Amino acid sequence: MCADTSTTAYWDAAAADFDNEPDHGLRDPAVREAWAARLRGWLPERAGDVLDLGCGTGSLALLAAERGHRVTGVDRSPRMVELARAKLGGTGATVLVGDAAEPPVGEGSFDVVLVRHLLWMLPDRQAVLRRWVRLLRPGGRLVLIEGRWGESDPVGLPAAELSALVGPVTERLSVEQLAPDAALWGRVVRDERYALVADLAPARRHTEIVDVHLILRRGDEVLLARRANTGYADGLLHAPSGHVEDGEDVRAAMLRETAEEIGLTLGPDEVRVVLVLQHKAPTGAARTGWFFEAEAGRESGLEPVNREPGKCSELGWFPLDALPDDMVAYCRAGLKAYRAGHRFALHWHEPDDPVAYTPEGPGRLTPL
């Protein structure tokens, strides 16, 4: 093999005799079974979507289809594609004419990308691998069958080199040496032949902090606390707030935080949810905030006090329709949404946004 034989014209001309090689046509039952056994180990046990790039006449694609997989083959040679379609007739497989480096298929559509004796011929292999990874679903798998052929003047891609290329774009990989298994090739071979199997990281469930915020009203005013000595947004005003603890519901968390921060013991019927706001910090970390409303005043006996002077330098009442500028942007956005009567909203910072509210800054509040 040599890299300059990868033109469409060459492979069109080679198609008629391509299956004469034992490991191409798999006409020998022993060779066919040897490849079928390997594929059983490389492909998922459950039926999945398999993309065979550079599928040639479709011999491996046929083995995968016979295992119940939904197979798509891609080859740049129209003549190879014609033969593959005939070989795969009746299996439900699809075979497309296209460039394996930029296959005409959608991203995130496959459980396995299977490639045999192809990557070594392609320029910019790292970019090609990144493209192939994008074709996979989370937890998907690359099966790359490669080698370094010939003993006196070998060509190809050594396993160590391919492992170094694949490692950064997948979670784990293994290399299976194939040269010692003569049944795969229909003869004894002494050069380097292997399969590299690499798995992507499985999809991880989205998790984020849940916090609670108290909109304590006194007529047209709202209570705000100035943060101090916390390491986050110190010096800025924020509504009394805190995180929901493990096993705690949001209302219980709000009642606990209210007592801990401002000394008010409220009953469940004295607070009500007025807003749910999902927020992303400039760092990219996301959280969901539940905003509760309660009424205060000397007449009701609900007068707040600063119960955490080490974390709060002052408490103060501020007009809800003329909020101060020196506030945490997240909290101010929540109060703006509350004033407008929104019940659900997003506050999605960009990486360069400040934590503090800035009057001239971009608005990041999106009502839902």
Side-chain angles (χ1 to χ4, degrees):
M1 297 183 182
C2 59
D4 63 357
T5 63
S6 62
T7 64
T8 301
Y10 173 89
W11 292 112
D12 276 344
D17 298 322
F18 188 77
D19 279 356
N20 291 343
E21 286 290 325
D23 60 305
H24 290 174
L26 309 185
R27 291 166 174 165
D28 184 326
V31 175
R32 178 182 173 84
E33 176 51 35
W35 280 102
R38 296 286 178 159
L39 278 183
R40 284 195 290 272
W42 298 334
L43 302 183
E45 291 186 11
R46 299 178 61 181
D49 294 293
V50 176
L51 177 63
D52 184 356
L53 295 176
C55 66
T57 61
S59 295
L60 291 188
L62 179 59
L63 292 180
E66 288 174 345
R67 293 286 298 170
H69 296 290
R70 299 175 293 275
V71 178
T72 300
V74 175
D75 201 282
R76 67 182 303 169
S77 163
R79 180 58 181 149
M80 290 282 193
V81 167
E82 181 182 345
L83 294 172
R85 286 172 177 165
K87 188 179 290 186
L88 289 157
T91 66
T94 300
V95 188
L96 307 171
V97 176
D99 184 354
E102 288 288 342
V105 296
E107 294 188 359
S109 301
F110 297 94
D111 301 298
V112 177
V113 170
L114 171 67
V115 190
R116 180 168 68 161
H117 302 170
L118 174 64
L119 184 61
W120 72 279
M121 294 187 290
L122 300 179
D124 199 355
R125 296 165 184 160
Q126 190 70 72
V128 170
L129 284 167
R130 287 195 295 267
R131 167 63 176 153
W132 290 350
V133 165
R134 292 198 299 272
L135 302 177
L136 290 167
R137 299 182 176 117
R141 172 173 290 182
L142 287 175
V143 178
L144 307 176
I145 304 165
E146 288 290 342
R148 188 161 169 78
W149 299 275
E151 297 180 59
S152 60
D153 188 20
V155 296
L157 185 58
E161 184 177 337
L162 182 54
S163 296
L165 289 171
V166 172
V169 295
T170 56
E171 184 174 69
R172 56 187 174 273
L173 62 85
S174 62
V175 174
E176 191 172 326
Q177 295 298 331
L178 303 180
D181 188 353
L184 291 169
W185 318 106
R187 63 187 187 279
V188 174
V189 298
R190 293 184 173 83
D191 46 21
E192 183 182 13
R193 306 185 187 197
Y194 62 90
L196 185 148
V197 179
D199 294 327
L200 273 63
R204 291 180 171 86
R205 291 190 175 184
H206 176 69
T207 59
E208 61 186 38
I209 293 170
V210 177
D211 53 28
V212 290
H213 308 253
L214 181 65
I215 302 175
L216 187 62
R217 297 285 303 269
R218 189 177 68 179
D220 295 329
E221 295 179 314
V222 63
L223 182 74
L224 298 177
R226 193 172 301 278
R227 299 177 63 87
N229 306 313
T230 66
Y232 173 78
D234 290 332
L236 298 178
L237 292 165
H238 196 285
S241 60
H243 295 167
V244 178
E245 296 180 352
D246 190 31
E248 188 176 45
D249 66 62
V250 291
R251 185 173 61 180
M254 186 76 271
L255 299 179
R256 174 183 53 76
E257 290 288 351
T258 300
E260 291 175 356
E261 293 192 13
I262 58 173
L264 298 185
T265 301
L266 302 178
D269 59 345
E270 293 180 280
V271 295
R272 68 184 186 95
V273 175
V274 290
L275 172 69
V276 177
L277 177 66
Q278 190 185 30
H279 163 73
K280 185 179 74 173
T283 61
R287 62 180 60 206
T288 297
W290 290 67
F291 287 72
F292 289 79
E293 180 187 59
E295 295 290 337
R298 292 181 178 82
E299 300 82 6
S300 65
L302 297 179
E303 193 64 26
V305 295
N306 186 358
R307 292 288 302 275
E308 296 184 326
K311 298 179 181 180
C312 172
S313 61
E314 66 170 305
L315 293 177
W317 294 98
F318 297 86
L320 187 58
D321 61 357
L323 293 170
D325 290 341
D326 57 337
M327 290 185 65
V328 175
Y330 171 27
C331 178
R332 204 176 195 282
L335 292 177
K336 180 179 179 181
Y338 165 71
R339 285 179 52 221
H342 302 308
R343 298 300 301 273
F344 305 96
L346 300 175
H347 184 249
W348 222 238
H349 271 310
E350 295 299 326
D352 293 331
D353 287 350
V355 171
Y357 169 75
T358 53
E360 69 280 4
R364 301 299 187 196
L365 181 65
T366 304
L368 299 177

